[in-house]
Amino acid sequence: PELSESPARIPATLIRAWTKDHDSADNLRTADHLSVSRAAFAVILRDFEAFEQDLSPDAWMDHRRAFFSIICSHFIALPHIFNYSGYLPRLFALAVACHDIESANNIVVRIEVCLAKLQSSCSVCLAGSTDVTSEGLNPIFSWQKQLYLSLQEALLQSLSMSHSANDEGVLSLWNRISIGAGLQESIYKDLECLAQDMYLRDLGRRPFRMRYLLSDHGEPWHATDLSSVRINDTQRHSLFQEMHIRDIADFLRTIGRKEVVTSPLVFPTRPLNIAELSILAPNISDHEDSIYKWARIFRGYSSSDRHTSCDIANDCLRVPLDRNARQIRLALGCFMTSDESWIASVCGLPDPDTTRYARLCRLVNGVLSSPLRPDYLVLPELSIPPSWYIRLAAKCMHRGISLLAGVEYIHDNSKNTVSNQIWASFVTDCIGFPVSMIYRQDKGRPALHEAEELHNKAGIQLQPESKPTKPIVNHGDVYFAFLMCSELTNIDFRASLRGKIDVLVVPEWNQDTETFGTLVEATAVDIHAFIVQCNNRLYGDSRVRAPGKEPWMRDVVRVKGGDEDYYVIGTLEIHNLRAFQSSYVSKADGQFKPVPDGFEISDSRKTYPM
């Protein structure tokens, strides 16, 4: 979803989704138009629900107020309230989740006005019946009660994402809805306990699994005692014996940050998927059996022998994908992250750049709609908050695009440290249909300037979450390696990759483009592979460098500058590179420069010589 730059554009967007005429759907033509209008409105509402999940309430307050203003004045009005009544609980829940009690109250007030007009000036009968409202048969009251009970449930679910539950505004709203539902007084004295109870049974607005995925982004009740939902030893024994998931319990303890296994994870309404499990796993290769067993039991995925695996001897992680690509297309994203956003990330403050989310979504949407469907999208170091990455990776996965990007610092408040990671969402068909497996790689040591700034701004240090290994990733039939910015200057890392990879991806936040430009050009020849350098648009010089023989063949892509975020797609001739390297003696008139002295191509990459 793209958040418009100005809230003034929202009314026009909503009005286009609104029914053009005021006639009821009494024939096929008007019924079809009503269905299209509902579908258009559902898409807009889904986008606003995505804003609620990705952004803080203050970051899009003006847009949200403009949205609810049009909703209350045009959609919650007779006779259109009946056409959109199914969306009222979702609209109400959206307002409560953003702690926008004023907008939530406005929705209830508009519903009350509509109900009062129905009672005073309308004759109502059941569909297919000619009898108007009579004593003992009151469809208005039945519909009203059902609607208000739905609003009660929406309120309880949304409080799990609220900043406060038992404040006066929320309690007043609850009592007002209770009266509308025919209950003269609130039947629950402590809304927070009830909302927490729903959350701990995985019935809240935000899935319980997000407690583990986004624990640093405002999740509620972190200090809550989970003893009431723990599984005792007797239950654990019988349950795990019957379901054969004893190793799942060990895996959940690993990702649960020293918490015991809780019933919302063993009996989830919205279980973790493979991409989320791979994010949580400290090391995919150590937990791959648990990941696939979990997915088979809780998601119903069929088993397969084509799983992700780790070749320890060759230090290679294999992500299966059924393809035989002679070449791949790679989109190089030129995206700007400001210094102010970096400082906010380091200090744990809200992002001051209100345009960043819209710019990123616009860039990704451009890649998704490109007629030259790329296989990979690469974004710079520290370019995406982890909470945004999951949604973007899922959208890219559905188009067959793997997202490779540097995410913002991940804080470990207990140690006063942060980690700087590359997240690579690789599309895989290992379970019979496309899903994504997310590989994480830590930056081992900070750059000198980076360490100094982290200490000066927030008094923190950079420390990897896990052992900072640099394995080769075999995605389908393409071999990747990843280095983060200053790691490219480590000659040992580069030397260990020679002959073993096709593509080296280097996300960067680097001001010294001249030095790194020389390094990239030398590395392309030294390890004889494609080098993908993706730098912050502030400094530019993002490129895809090939070990081409002719000067004009060496920069497949090279871009710098500009006032707007953009992307460029380049084609990497993987098969031709391998065929050239497989020759015993490099051809003098070939497409690429001769391989360097001592170069040996790995057996897994050998093919018929060119």
Short mmCIF file of all heavy atoms in Angstrom, two decimals, residues 329-331 367 369-375 401 567 569-571:
data_model
loop_
_atom_site.label_atom_id
_atom_site.label_comp_id
_atom_site.label_asym_id
_atom_site.label_seq_id
_atom_site.Cartn_x
_atom_site.Cartn_y
_atom_site.Cartn_z
N ARG A 329 17.77 -12.03 -13.79
CA ARG A 329 17.57 -10.58 -13.81
C ARG A 329 17.59 -10.08 -12.38
O ARG A 329 16.97 -10.66 -11.49
CB ARG A 329 16.24 -10.22 -14.47
CG ARG A 329 16.25 -10.37 -15.98
CD ARG A 329 15.08 -9.60 -16.56
NE ARG A 329 15.06 -9.69 -18.01
CZ ARG A 329 14.25 -10.49 -18.70
NH1 ARG A 329 13.39 -11.25 -18.06
NH2 ARG A 329 14.29 -10.51 -20.02
N LEU A 330 18.27 -8.98 -12.17
CA LEU A 330 18.43 -8.43 -10.83
C LEU A 330 18.07 -6.95 -10.85
O LEU A 330 18.58 -6.18 -11.66
CB LEU A 330 19.87 -8.62 -10.34
CG LEU A 330 20.20 -8.25 -8.91
CD1 LEU A 330 21.18 -9.24 -8.31
CD2 LEU A 330 20.79 -6.84 -8.86
N ALA A 331 17.14 -6.56 -9.96
CA ALA A 331 16.75 -5.16 -9.82
C ALA A 331 17.58 -4.53 -8.72
O ALA A 331 17.59 -5.00 -7.57
CB ALA A 331 15.27 -5.04 -9.51
N VAL A 367 8.86 -2.32 -8.98
CA VAL A 367 9.54 -3.57 -9.33
C VAL A 367 8.53 -4.68 -9.59
O VAL A 367 8.66 -5.46 -10.54
CB VAL A 367 10.52 -3.97 -8.21
CG1 VAL A 367 11.14 -5.33 -8.50
CG2 VAL A 367 11.61 -2.92 -8.04
N SER A 369 5.52 -4.47 -10.67
CA SER A 369 4.75 -4.27 -11.90
C SER A 369 5.62 -4.17 -13.14
O SER A 369 5.09 -3.95 -14.24
CB SER A 369 3.90 -3.00 -11.77
OG SER A 369 4.72 -1.86 -11.55
N SER A 370 6.92 -4.34 -13.00
CA SER A 370 7.81 -4.23 -14.16
C SER A 370 7.55 -5.35 -15.16
O SER A 370 7.42 -6.52 -14.78
CB SER A 370 9.27 -4.29 -13.69
OG SER A 370 10.14 -4.36 -14.80
N PRO A 371 7.46 -5.04 -16.45
CA PRO A 371 7.29 -6.10 -17.46
C PRO A 371 8.50 -7.02 -17.55
O PRO A 371 8.37 -8.18 -17.96
CB PRO A 371 7.07 -5.32 -18.76
CG PRO A 371 7.67 -3.97 -18.50
CD PRO A 371 7.48 -3.70 -17.05
N LEU A 372 9.69 -6.51 -17.18
CA LEU A 372 10.88 -7.35 -17.12
C LEU A 372 10.97 -7.92 -15.70
O LEU A 372 11.71 -7.43 -14.86
CB LEU A 372 12.14 -6.53 -17.44
CG LEU A 372 12.28 -6.03 -18.87
CD1 LEU A 372 13.51 -5.14 -18.98
CD2 LEU A 372 12.38 -7.19 -19.85
N ARG A 373 10.20 -8.94 -15.45
CA ARG A 373 10.09 -9.48 -14.10
C ARG A 373 11.46 -9.91 -13.57
O ARG A 373 12.03 -10.89 -14.03
CB ARG A 373 9.14 -10.69 -14.10
CG ARG A 373 8.90 -11.33 -12.75
CD ARG A 373 8.03 -10.46 -11.89
NE ARG A 373 6.77 -10.14 -12.51
CZ ARG A 373 5.72 -10.96 -12.56
NH1 ARG A 373 5.79 -12.15 -12.02
NH2 ARG A 373 4.60 -10.59 -13.13
N PRO A 374 12.02 -9.17 -12.59
CA PRO A 374 13.34 -9.56 -12.07
C PRO A 374 13.23 -10.77 -11.16
O PRO A 374 12.16 -11.07 -10.61
CB PRO A 374 13.79 -8.32 -11.30
CG PRO A 374 12.52 -7.67 -10.87
CD PRO A 374 11.52 -7.94 -11.96
N ASP A 375 14.33 -11.46 -10.99
CA ASP A 375 14.39 -12.60 -10.07
C ASP A 375 14.78 -12.16 -8.66
O ASP A 375 14.43 -12.83 -7.69
CB ASP A 375 15.40 -13.63 -10.58
CG ASP A 375 15.05 -14.15 -11.96
OD1 ASP A 375 14.02 -14.82 -12.08
OD2 ASP A 375 15.80 -13.86 -12.91
N ILE A 401 9.91 -13.09 -6.77
CA ILE A 401 11.07 -12.22 -6.60
C ILE A 401 11.65 -12.44 -5.21
O ILE A 401 10.92 -12.43 -4.21
CB ILE A 401 10.69 -10.74 -6.77
CG1 ILE A 401 10.11 -10.50 -8.17
CG2 ILE A 401 11.90 -9.83 -6.54
CD1 ILE A 401 9.56 -9.10 -8.38
N TYR A 567 14.82 2.22 -9.50
CA TYR A 567 15.50 0.94 -9.62
C TYR A 567 15.94 0.76 -11.07
O TYR A 567 15.38 1.37 -11.99
CB TYR A 567 14.59 -0.22 -9.20
CG TYR A 567 13.43 -0.46 -10.14
CD1 TYR A 567 13.52 -1.38 -11.19
CD2 TYR A 567 12.24 0.24 -10.00
CE1 TYR A 567 12.46 -1.59 -12.05
CE2 TYR A 567 11.18 0.05 -10.86
CZ TYR A 567 11.30 -0.87 -11.89
OH TYR A 567 10.25 -1.06 -12.75
N ILE A 569 17.19 -2.53 -13.74
CA ILE A 569 17.26 -3.99 -13.89
C ILE A 569 18.41 -4.34 -14.82
O ILE A 569 18.57 -3.75 -15.90
CB ILE A 569 15.94 -4.55 -14.44
CG1 ILE A 569 14.81 -4.32 -13.43
CG2 ILE A 569 16.07 -6.05 -14.74
CD1 ILE A 569 13.45 -4.81 -13.90
N GLY A 570 19.23 -5.29 -14.38
CA GLY A 570 20.33 -5.79 -15.20
C GLY A 570 20.26 -7.31 -15.32
O GLY A 570 19.73 -7.99 -14.45
N THR A 571 20.81 -7.82 -16.40
CA THR A 571 20.82 -9.27 -16.66
C THR A 571 22.22 -9.82 -16.42
O THR A 571 23.20 -9.29 -16.96
CB THR A 571 20.39 -9.58 -18.11
OG1 THR A 571 19.07 -9.08 -18.31
CG2 THR A 571 20.41 -11.07 -18.37
#
